[in-house]
Amino acid sequence: MPDEETTTLSAAPTVRTEPLEAPAPAGDARVPAWTRWLVPLALVLAAVNLRPAITSLGSLMKEVTGGLHMSGGLAGVLTSVPAFCFALFGIMAPRLARRFGPGAVVFAGMAAITVGLLLRPFAGGTVTFLAASALALMGIAVSNVLMPVIVKRYFPDRVGSMTGLYSMALAAGTSLAAVTTVPLTDALGGSWRQGLGVWALLAVLAVAVWIPLTRDRSGSTTPAVRAQQEAAPALRITRSGTAWALACFFGLQATGAYITMGWMPTIFRDAGVSAGTAGLLLSITMVMGVPLGFVIPWMVNRLRSQGPIVVALGACGLAGYAGLYLAPASGAWAWALLLGISNCAFPLALTMIGKRSRTGAGVVRLSAFAQCVGYLLSIPGPLLVGLLHDRSGGWDLPIALMAALMVPQIVVGVLAGRDRTIEDEAGVREDEAGARR
């Protein structure tokens, strides 16, 4: 599992020491005792809400695009919105956390998810639907960024286990929405609007639990501290080949994940699989992140190089796409399982970020660089799938594109998994790196 320099995020590609990067010692007086039992519950509820807005839409994509009269290209834009929002709004999260405290910002993120999911069923057109979706995704983006920060703040001696806990909760929420959205829609009268809106109820629970954590401002900074940070020496992370390899690996795995969440149920349905079974297949793909989200970080910490894990996950992805191309319906369960294993490149990428720097500050900046650049790189993928499907009238070309993207993912993943640090590549002296701890 990741050590105490596990993934956290910030917004700029240079390293400066910030309070969000430095974990408080265990038993720090600034950490209220009551948070020790509340924070794990809050983390789980927040993580469970970080993907249903996306996977519930994937399960009902045919109904939504038909009801709002969307073309395939416009539906592709809709599946690209999550990556765009994650890259755009995720940049804002560290600055907001320094000003208001991470607990308050995550609370606001949960509230934004709730409001966005409540508004989406009332959308009368594509623009309104996209705006409501963007509001929910904005909340997901800032919460996604700050949850590792909160883990590091409250559990500096248990970062690995707590990261595994919320990673598994995230995967559970993803698969829960995938498998239950269609049955819930049928039970509520068959309207996709109710099927999407019902997930706001789960977000309300998270909002309620996060209210007490808004009082804890221990993660915020004062103007004097911020001025001192600006004077700190910086690490030019763009000089590191490993940082660029990690960014590309993160972007390519995110591309595959959002294509899967947005389009896989539609691919199965067009092959003759029922809507309910297609949602269940997506849930199988997503639920693989529950056990593997814990196992993969454990394996990473026991290997000097993560290249073998990258290759194994990539091989599963290639096999899954080949099966989806040749026999999408007859082997659907096997392809869903293989693609689910392949999609566990996400916890692998997060854990590798924590291994590629010797310092807490370096992990923060590397994480910011890799994830922000990566999410930007992932935006065109779902859009291209929609356009290719629109132009060709089938899924052969889109599936071929998905398989082709797996090859560079393996290459850059092997490069990113080499046993080296960004401090070495960026030319930072050992004594400077140690001073930033």
Side-chain angles (χ1 to χ4, degrees):
M1 294 299 297
D3 56 20
E4 71 176 46
E5 290 176 2
T6 302
T7 311
T8 50
L9 288 179
S10 185
T14 57
V15 175
R16 291 186 174 88
T17 304
E18 300 180 4
L20 285 176
E21 301 158 6
D28 192 322
R30 294 178 300 168
V31 180
W34 54 268
T35 61
R36 293 293 174 173
W37 62 267
L38 181 63
V39 172
L41 175 62
L43 284 170
V44 168
L45 283 174
V48 168
N49 279 281
L50 291 181
R51 292 298 181 269
I54 304 169
T55 50
S56 62
L57 177 60
S59 298
L60 296 174
M61 182 64 76
K62 288 179 73 70
E63 287 78 7
V64 173
T65 54
L68 297 177
H69 308 292
M70 291 186 188
S71 65
L74 194 53
V77 172
L78 184 60
T79 57
S80 295
V81 168
F84 177 78
C85 288
F86 285 2
L88 177 64
F89 296 116
I91 294 174
M92 302 163 52
R95 185 181 298 274
L96 292 171
R98 290 194 297 271
R99 182 175 180 84
F100 301 106
V105 178
V106 175
F107 165 77
M110 294 295 108
I113 294 171
T114 304
V115 174
L117 293 180
L118 284 173
L119 292 178
R120 231 170 25 173
F122 299 99
T126 301
V127 174
T128 309
F129 188 88
L130 287 172
S133 297
L135 177 61
L137 292 167
M138 178 179 66
I140 293 172
V142 296
S143 302
N144 201 45
V145 166
L146 292 178
M147 286 180 67
V149 176
I150 289 172
V151 167
K152 197 168 187 178
R153 167 66 196 165
Y154 291 106
F155 303 99
D157 55 341
R158 289 191 288 154
V159 168
S161 59
M162 296 306 297
T163 300
L165 176 66
Y166 85 74
S167 295
M168 289 187 289
L170 189 150
T174 304
S175 58
L176 178 67
V179 72
T180 62
T181 294
V182 172
L184 281 173
T185 302
D186 293 339
L188 293 171
S191 171
W192 62 264
R193 297 180 184 273
Q194 283 82 0
L196 294 182
V198 71
W199 293 104
L201 299 176
L202 185 61
V204 169
L205 293 176
V207 170
V209 173
W210 278 91
I211 290 174
L213 293 174
T214 63
R215 296 181 293 170
D216 185 9
R217 296 287 301 277
S218 56
S220 58
T221 63
T222 65
V225 171
R226 285 194 294 269
Q228 187 179 17
Q229 294 162 5
E230 294 300 320
L235 179 150
R236 297 185 182 277
I237 200 169
T238 53
R239 293 180 178 178
S240 167
T242 296
W244 281 106
L246 263 173
C248 293
F249 179 68
F250 196 95
L252 287 167
Q253 67 80 27
T255 299
Y258 288 113
I259 289 174
T260 298
M261 286 188 283
W263 288 112
M264 197 174 82
T266 305
I267 294 173
F268 282 129
R269 291 178 67 176
D270 286 350
V273 176
S274 68
T277 302
L280 183 58
L281 289 166
L282 178 59
S283 75
I284 294 297
T285 299
M286 298 296 107
V287 82
M288 292 305 300
V290 176
L292 293 182
F294 190 87
V295 171
I296 287 176
W298 179 84
M299 294 175 61
V300 167
N301 275 345
R302 282 154 180 78
L303 295 174
R304 293 180 63 87
S305 171
Q306 288 75 53
I309 306 176
V310 171
V311 173
L313 296 182
C316 288
L318 288 171
Y321 287 130
L324 205 59
Y325 184 94
L326 296 172
S330 59
W333 296 98
W335 318 143
L337 184 65
L338 287 168
L339 292 175
I341 297 173
S342 176
N343 278 347
C344 289
F346 175 67
L348 172 61
L350 289 181
T351 312
M352 283 201 297
I353 288 172
K355 300 287 288 183
R356 297 287 85 88
S357 175
R358 295 191 300 268
T359 71
V363 169
V364 172
R365 298 308 183 187
L366 176 58
S367 184
F369 179 78
Q371 295 202 38
C372 289
V373 172
Y375 279 128
L376 286 173
L377 291 174
S378 71
I379 292 173
L383 174 60
L384 284 174
V385 168
L387 290 174
L388 286 174
H389 175 60
D390 229 16
R391 294 292 179 89
S392 66
W395 290 106
D396 288 354
L397 283 179
I399 293 172
L401 171 65
M402 300 177 210
L405 290 176
M406 192 59 64
V407 176
Q409 177 178 317
I410 294 172
V411 173
V412 294
V414 169
L415 294 176
R418 293 175 298 175
D419 184 22
R420 59 188 61 193
T421 66
I422 58 172
E423 286 84 3
D424 294 334
E425 294 181 341
V428 176
R429 296 194 306 272
E430 182 73 34
D431 56 346
E432 291 180 335
R436 293 195 187 100
R437 285 186 183 274

